[in-house]
Amino acid sequence: MPGRPSLELVLKEQAQAYALRQEGFSLSEIMEKMGMGRSAVKRRLDGIRKRMRLDPELAARLQAEGIVDLAGLHSGWLINKDENGAGQSLYFYLGPDGPVSPEEHFEAMSEAFASIQPAPAIKAPRHVETGKVAFFPVADWHLGAVATESEVGADYNREIAIERLRDGFSRCHAALPGCETAIVAYVGDVTHANDRKEVTPKSGNRLKVEGSHFQNVTLACQSVIWQVDMARRQHKNVVVVIRRGNHDEDVPVALTLALNARYEKDPRVTVVNDESPYYVFQKGRLFICMHHGDGQKPEKMALAVPHKFRREWGLSDHHYFFTADKHHTKSDTFGGLHWKQLPALCRLDQYAHHQGYADTGGMMAVLFDTETGMAAEFTVRL
């Protein structure tokens, strides 16, 4: 096995990586120049940045002890005592590695998706219904969640989750005609966990997750691409939008970047790139709005919609609002706004089962006319 790098070599590599970074080189370019992998370069950068934040005397004492690779080092003791206990001891606290800047995060994501092959050309369908919109909302998939039959009455895992998505979408898609526009809309909680910590972002509740976060985001990306490619064969234009939920606040950025890379050269696919928790589609006299539905009761959210989207609201006569989050269907009308709470694509998890909820999982599709509003609604029970 290769030996541990010497103190001088680590210091030299840290300085070289930092100097290249200051000159504006990307991580990939630094990797190429230094002949190192991504994790090694990132470790050199994290180590020198942490050392630069330290008090110079503490940094010098750590270096005197041969400790310069500080990446991932949180705290410790420097003990210099003889067998009788005479001497000195020093406790040091370095804190966690510095947070990744938005620029570095975007760069890493962009580089990760740079190798994605553009979508193969698919000819536009010859016959579609002008003025019709096929709306395919996907709510609360929770890919990565895992439960057993003995726990909740039925198994749920990634294989089952993907099967439910493909089954539900195929049946919903077959129920609607070819339209001028199709909207593939993820209404939050695509993945069960937001990151590898496997806790809910706000409350910190522990989650039971199958597989790694990388694997689950990859599976989610492949599944969305499968849906969009199916929609491209039947509908003239396809809009795809990924919105955050209370479980996956940061996942949409990864999926959106991947979809941008996939469909960059396809004029018939529009990937929605803004960071709003809302999504609005307005055309003709039709207004469609969606939000995950967490944080406020639907009637309060409904009151805010006309004010948030005054222009789109004012141009329309038929107003629809879709939310998710609660894992069961419900509908109401608030003023002129028709509200629908969507069924969850996932099965019951441990929490829902213990709370006594019934499994009402499924998927729905809605056919809209841009002049007359909702034309048909189709629900698949899964």
Side-chain angles (χ1 to χ4, degrees), residues 1 11 16 34 71 113 128 147 180 198 214 238 240 294:
M1 294 179 61
L11 287 170
Q16 182 183 359
M34 297 184 64
F113 294 126
V128 298
E180 187 174 7
E198 298 182 358
F214 176 86
V238 179
V240 56
D294 57 319

Side-chain angles (χ1 to χ4, degrees), residues 110-293:
S110 298
E111 290 178 354
F113 294 126
S115 60
I116 293 178
Q117 295 297 315
I122 294 178
K123 289 184 178 180
R126 295 180 62 183
H127 304 288
V128 298
E129 296 196 18
T130 303
K132 294 295 193 293
V133 177
F135 182 58
F136 300 105
V138 181
D140 297 288
W141 190 19
H142 288 269
L143 178 65
V146 58
T148 63
E149 183 178 1
S150 62
E151 288 179 298
V152 302
D155 291 335
Y156 190 70
N157 52 46
R158 293 182 301 179
E159 183 179 353
I160 293 171
I162 293 172
E163 180 183 342
R164 285 166 72 89
L165 175 75
R166 286 178 172 258
D167 180 23
F169 185 72
S170 296
R171 291 158 65 186
C172 283
H173 195 254
L176 300 190
C179 296
E180 187 174 7
T181 303
I183 304 173
V184 177
Y186 277 78
V187 200
D189 288 355
V190 177
T191 54
H192 192 47
N194 188 53
D195 51 38
R196 63 184 180 181
K197 294 179 182 178
E198 298 182 358
V199 297
T200 52
K202 291 184 179 179
S203 61
N205 293 327
R206 192 72 185 171
L207 300 169
K208 193 171 182 180
V209 179
E210 179 186 20
S212 70
H213 185 62
F214 176 86
Q215 291 171 337
N216 292 336
V217 172
T218 300
L219 288 172
C221 180
Q222 292 169 347
S223 298
V224 179
I225 288 173
W226 171 80
Q227 286 179 281
V228 174
D229 284 351
M230 179 181 284
R232 287 197 299 156
R233 291 180 172 87
Q234 183 166 317
H235 308 282
K236 181 178 180 181
N237 299 302
V238 179
V239 177
V240 56
V241 54
I242 316 290
R243 285 302 183 242
R244 67 111 187 108
N246 57 305
H247 275 245
D248 66 344
E249 292 180 350
D250 300 320
V251 171
V253 65
L255 297 178
T256 300
L257 285 168
L259 293 168
N260 277 326
R262 170 79 174 178
Y263 298 108
E264 181 181 13
K265 297 181 180 180
D266 190 331
R268 295 198 297 119
V269 177
T270 299
V271 180
V272 179
N273 285 301
D274 64 74
E275 300 178 67
S276 172
Y278 290 88
Y279 169 68
V280 166
F281 175 87
Q282 194 284 321
K283 189 171 183 179
R285 299 165 63 195
L286 176 64
F287 174 94
I288 302 172
C289 180
M290 73 178 203
H291 185 281
H292 185 59

Side-chain angles (χ1 to χ4, degrees), residues 5-65:
S6 67
L7 173 67
E8 292 76 15
L9 179 59
V10 172
L11 287 170
K12 178 181 177 181
E13 291 173 345
Q14 286 179 341
Q16 182 183 359
Y18 185 76
L20 291 170
R21 194 61 168 161
Q22 293 299 105
E23 292 176 26
F25 288 96
S26 68
L27 286 178
S28 294
E29 291 169 333
I30 298 174
M31 290 161 52
E32 184 177 353
K33 287 181 175 294
M34 297 184 64
M36 290 183 172
R38 179 177 295 275
S39 60
V41 170
K42 190 174 184 304
R43 187 176 185 90
R44 300 299 186 271
L45 290 170
D46 288 343
I48 191 170
R49 286 167 178 162
K50 183 174 281 188
R51 192 169 75 252
M52 292 171 68
R53 297 200 307 266
L54 293 180
D55 179 276
E57 183 175 345
L58 177 56
R61 290 192 61 175
L62 289 172
Q63 182 171 333
E65 296 294 330

Side-chain angles (χ1 to χ4, degrees), residues 46 66 68 70 87 91 106 121 128 162 170 174 234 290 326-327 339:
D46 288 343
V68 294
L70 305 181
Y91 173 78
F106 182 80
V128 298
I162 293 172
S170 296
Q234 183 166 317
M290 73 178 203
K326 303 302 186 290
H327 290 216
W339 166 68

Side-chain angles (χ1 to χ4, degrees), residues 310-325:
R310 295 180 184 182
R311 178 182 175 278
E312 294 88 346
W313 180 277
L315 291 171
S316 309
D317 294 320
H318 310 289
H319 305 91
Y320 302 90
F321 183 39
F322 295 88
T323 63
D325 186 49

Side-chain angles (χ1 to χ4, degrees), residues 80-103:
N80 184 18
K81 293 184 178 182
D82 59 23
E83 58 184 9
N84 297 318
Q88 295 180 334
S89 62
L90 173 67
Y91 173 78
F92 61 88
Y93 172 77
L94 306 180
D97 292 338
V100 177
S101 69
E103 293 77 13

